[in-house]
Amino acid sequence: ALGGGVLFMIYQLLEHGRWVVPHLAGEPYLEDGPFHYWIAALTAKLLGLILAPHEGARLASGVLMAVMLYFVHLSGRELYGRIEGISAVLVLLGCLGLLVHAHETLAEVSMLAGLALAWYGIALALRKPHRAGWLLGAGLLVAALSKGVPAVIAPVALALALPLVSPAWRRREYLSTRSTG
């Protein structure tokens, strides 16, 4: 559901230009980062001619869920093969908690999209290290702008630990992934 508070924050972004720190009832709203609200404001603005602002804002969650599913699919393909990519998506779609909240305008949805992008960057690192570094960095940025620094602890820890636990990741190419991301 799109609560009145979230809709008001999106209105504040569109009408008053409070893009860096979203405001709720005139007060800075620091519980979440601004990324999801940026995307919601963007979809509300872009679709303003055909949809009411609150309906356009709702589409942000759908767009971000599609992005998340796409990068989960690519990660599954990269790690396990062409057919297993769709299996990873189906397993994710089978999670009841995801289906219950996927349609809501929550910063967690954009955090998931950012984390899926970061995980894909890690999965791609052995084959295309420079592109992987950019994807990892972009994913970490989206996740951090969605829910803060704690959201990126797991992928950063994994990226740093992989060379310690697996010989495949102890290559110069993988180091270049981490230095560009």
Side-chain angles (χ1 to χ4, degrees), residues 24-51:
L24 181 60
E27 297 293 321
Y29 182 74
L30 302 174
E31 185 174 320
D32 299 327
F35 188 80
H36 194 86
Y37 307 113
W38 292 344
I39 300 300
L42 182 65
T43 57
K45 189 74 164 175
L46 288 176
L47 299 169
L49 295 175
I50 43 180
L51 294 174

Side-chain angles (χ1 to χ4, degrees), residues 24-174:
L24 181 60
E27 297 293 321
Y29 182 74
L30 302 174
E31 185 174 320
D32 299 327
F35 188 80
H36 194 86
Y37 307 113
W38 292 344
I39 300 300
L42 182 65
T43 57
K45 189 74 164 175
L46 288 176
L47 299 169
L49 295 175
I50 43 180
L51 294 174
H54 65 279
E55 292 171 346
R58 271 195 185 106
L59 289 178
S61 291
V63 167
L64 290 164
M65 285 299 296
V67 167
M68 186 263 306
L69 292 172
Y70 177 70
F71 284 110
V72 166
H73 171 72
L74 291 179
S75 296
R77 283 180 56 175
E78 191 65 36
L79 293 171
Y80 303 111
R82 292 187 81 68
I83 296 173
E84 286 77 5
I86 196 68
S87 299
V89 171
L90 292 173
V91 167
L92 185 59
L93 287 174
C95 297
L96 184 58
L98 177 69
L99 292 179
V100 169
H101 298 291
H103 69 283
E104 296 176 356
T105 303
L106 298 171
E108 286 81 358
V109 175
S110 59
M111 178 192 71
L112 280 174
L115 289 175
L117 179 57
W119 293 122
Y120 177 57
I122 291 171
L124 189 64
L126 292 178
R127 200 165 56 83
K128 295 185 178 180
H130 294 293
R131 181 181 300 171
W134 284 102
L135 294 170
L136 175 60
L140 294 175
L141 181 64
V142 168
L145 284 173
S146 297
K147 287 301 284 181
V149 174
V152 300
I153 291 173
V156 168
L158 179 69
L160 294 173
L162 279 171
L164 301 175
V165 298
S166 174
W169 298 88
R170 290 184 205 129
R171 297 184 4 212
R172 183 175 314 197
E173 293 84 7
Y174 182 64

